[in-house]
Amino acid sequence: MLDIVYQDKDLVVCVKPFRVLSTDEPGGMPDLIREALGRPHEKIRTVHRLDQVVGGLMVYARTAEAAGELSRQIRAGSFAKDYEAVVHWRPRDDAGTFRDLLGRDERKRRTYVAKEPGKGIQEAVLHYEVLANRRGHSLVRIALETGRTHQIRVQFASRGMPLAGDRKYSKYPDPEGWEIALWSYRLDFAHPTTGERMVFTMDPPETEPWKWFVGSVPR
């Protein structure tokens, strides 16, 4: 059953399960939202995305006007999306910024760090804070300044700290049962109609490796 955190006539805030598409395709999030609302023909508009393998908070628009305003906030940088991740090893500094040039190989469906600017190369910037360390892994909180495909996964992996459970960018043989340890834990935006500030948080699931850090971070 889909976990709907908030809904009104303009939007729906919900928790995307791991391995579900963000976009309006068969079995994707809009389909699940329509089913949960009991409105099979409603237009549910995607305004931001998560990788299919990633879980956590997302907001969807129920009107074209709401979709346009939320998209405007994203472009303006006033829509905040924060993440938590468990990575192998530990960053050199307890807080910092990663800044890279990223390219995309669509044939291999992989993002990579580029050495110099060029066609299709985009700057990627994120800010991180280390929250705790356990068992050779670190729990980190991440704020994105840009939103490139697979950005978090590639920026950490390129520094020798791939995300736990990441089958695409990690060389470590994590247990097969692990989902990727990347979670959309916080959304902060202005309501598209009223302008009221809306802030939502959702803790990651208490499964491995997340459960190693339960109780170590104030919530």
Side-chain angles (χ1 to χ4, degrees):
M1 196 68 182
L2 187 67
D3 185 1
I4 293 181
V5 178
Y6 174 87
Q7 62 171 296
D8 62 24
K9 65 181 180 62
D10 296 302
L11 54 85
V12 176
V13 178
C14 53
V15 180
K16 183 180 104 56
F18 296 104
R19 302 182 184 277
V20 174
L21 288 166
S22 300
T23 49
D24 201 352
E25 301 172 57
M29 283 297 293
D31 258 4
L32 298 186
I33 292 169
R34 284 188 282 263
E35 181 181 354
L37 296 176
R39 300 179 65 88
H41 304 297
E42 181 169 348
K43 178 68 172 176
I44 302 294
R45 295 163 172 86
T46 305
V47 296
H48 67 114
R49 300 186 182 192
L50 291 179
D51 293 350
Q52 183 175 357
V53 295
V54 177
L57 286 171
M58 293 192 71
V59 58
Y60 285 84
R62 301 180 72 175
T63 68
E65 294 77 13
E69 170 56 21
L70 291 172
S71 296
R72 184 198 66 76
Q73 292 180 40
I74 292 171
R75 292 193 301 271
S78 58
F79 184 124
K81 296 173 287 183
D82 296 331
Y83 299 80
E84 288 188 357
V86 177
V87 303
H88 287 270
W89 312 117
R90 179 174 183 162
R92 180 183 60 188
D93 300 315
D94 288 339
T97 297
F98 292 164
R99 190 179 301 270
D100 294 291
L101 296 173
L102 298 186
R104 179 78 179 159
D105 185 329
E106 291 296 347
R107 186 177 61 84
K108 296 181 179 180
R109 301 180 66 84
R110 290 178 65 91
T111 299
Y112 60 91
V113 174
K115 294 181 179 179
E116 57 187 30
K119 183 178 179 180
I121 305 299
Q122 297 178 300
E123 185 180 42
V125 183
L126 66 77
H127 311 283
Y128 74 88
E129 176 189 6
V130 178
L131 302 179
N133 304 101
R134 297 283 188 279
R135 305 187 185 187
H137 293 72
S138 298
L139 176 65
V140 295
R141 188 165 287 170
I142 300 156
L144 286 180
E145 191 170 313
T146 57
R148 312 305 180 201
T149 301
H150 297 175
Q151 175 179 339
I152 294 171
R153 300 162 67 181
V154 172
Q155 288 195 276
F156 276 92
S158 69
R159 291 166 170 81
M161 299 174 290
L163 273 62
D166 190 346
R167 313 297 172 195
K168 184 178 287 285
Y169 295 104
S170 175
K171 64 182 180 181
Y172 295 106
D174 294 320
E176 284 296 324
W178 284 13
E179 301 287 0
I180 189 171
L182 180 59
W183 184 258
S184 172
Y185 100 97
R186 183 176 183 270
L187 298 177
D188 181 343
F189 57 90
H191 191 281
T193 299
T194 67
E196 177 187 357
R197 205 71 204 168
M198 312 285 286
V199 180
F200 301 92
T201 61
M202 178 67 61
D203 290 346
E206 292 188 9
T207 55
E208 286 190 315
W210 299 106
K211 69 179 185 180
W212 300 345
F213 300 95
V214 172
S216 62
V217 180
R219 296 290 186 182

